Amino acid sequence: GAGVSQSPSNKVTEKGKDVELRCDPISGHTALYWYRQSLGQGLEFLIYFQGNSAPDKSGLPSDRFSAERTGGSVSTLTIQRTQQEDSAVYLCASSLARSTDTQYFGPGTRLTVL
Amino acid sequence: RKEVEQDPGPFNVPEGATVAFNCTYSNSASQSFFWYRQDCRKEPKLLMSVYSSGNEDGRFTAQLNRASQYISLLIRDSKLSDSATYLCVVDFNKFYFGSGTKLNVKP
C-alpha cells in the first residue's frame, strides 16, 4: 500500500521567504509527526498531531514555524521568514495511534535556504 | 543532558564480526523503546522494538536494562548491507531519537 508521502522532495529558497512543506500520511493513521534532521545529526522533534486532540507543539523552535493538519489527514508545515539555519531535511511520520505504534517515515523534504 | 545518548561511532568492522551498540536514556518513566535504521540520505525505518525480556530477530538482538537505563543492539555475523546509522528511540509522551551510531561493515 501507499506509504507516507512528502512534497516537495527538494526546496531551495531565499532567506526571508516563506515555505510550505506537505505531508500525506498513511490512510487510517491518526498520529502524525514532524521532525527536522540537520546534516549528520539526529532527529529533532517539531510537532505531533493525534486525532482531534490539540497538537503537541513543544518542539517548534520559534514562532516562525507552524503546522496544521486538515481533516485529520494531510499536514502542512509552514516556515515563515526562512533563515539559513532552517536548512535541513524535514521528515514526516505517521503511526496508527502513538506510543508503541511503529512510526512510518516519509522520504523527507530537503530544504536549503540561501 | 540529552534524553537519549548514543556513541556516534563510526564503528568500522569486518564482515562476519559481532558488534554491539548501547544507548542510554534519561527518563526512568520511559515507556517504549525501539531501534531504527537509517541509510545514507534515506528516511529512518523501524528495525525492531525492544521488550523488557529482550528480543531477537535473526542476527539482531535487542535488550533493555531499566535499572541502568540503557538499551543495546547486538548484530551478529555482520553483512555489508548492515552498514547504516542505527537510531535509538525512547518514548515518553513523545518519541525521542538519539543522534545515531554509524556502522561501516568492510569486506
Side-chain angles (χ1 to χ4, degrees), chain A:
Chain A
V4 177
S5 61
Q6 291 186 245
S7 61
S9 54
N10 280 285
K11 176 72 176 178
V12 180
T13 190
E14 293 179 348
K15 178 181 171 181
K17 302 280 190 183
D18 297 353
V19 295
E20 280 192 356
L21 312 180
R22 176 187 168 106
C23 172
D24 277 274
I26 293 173
S27 178
H29 281 193
T30 62
L32 186 148
Y33 310 78
W34 281 99
Y35 296 91
R36 177 168 73 173
Q37 188 172 33
S38 300
L39 188 63
Q41 302 297 310
L43 274 70
E44 175 188 4
F45 167 80
L46 297 177
I47 188 169
Y48 159 52
F49 296 90
Q50 173 55 60
N52 296 319
S53 303
D56 176 351
K57 304 179 181 181
S58 59
L60 295 178
S62 78
D63 59 7
R64 297 186 294 105
F65 288 73
S66 62
E68 62 178 23
R69 188 178 185 191
T70 53
S73 181
V74 171
S75 177
T76 303
L77 176 69
T78 301
I79 309 173
Q80 296 178 309
R81 305 180 301 283
T82 51
Q83 304 294 313
Q84 288 183 330
E85 60 263 28
D86 298 336
S87 297
V89 176
Y90 289 81
L91 289 158
C92 173
S94 71
S95 66
L96 269 176
R98 66 166 302 279
S99 189
T100 59
D101 294 327
T102 300
Q103 292 190 27
Y104 296 88
F105 283 83
T109 294
R110 185 173 299 277
L111 175 66
T112 302
V113 182
L114 302 177

Side-chain angles (χ1 to χ4, degrees), chain B residues 25-68:
Chain B
Y25 60 94
S26 60
N27 194 320
S28 60
S30 297
Q31 307 279 342
S32 310
F33 309 87
F34 309 88
W35 284 101
Y36 275 70
R37 169 191 171 131
Q38 187 172 27
D39 292 290
C40 189
R41 300 177 77 87
K42 297 285 190 181
E43 70 274 20
K45 293 184 179 179
L46 178 70
L47 178 66
M48 59 198 305
S49 302
V50 187
Y51 304 122
S52 297
S53 55
N55 48 303
E56 187 173 312
D57 183 2
R59 299 181 292 107
F60 298 83
T61 300
Q63 292 196 312
L64 167 64
N65 185 318
R66 284 191 183 272
S68 301

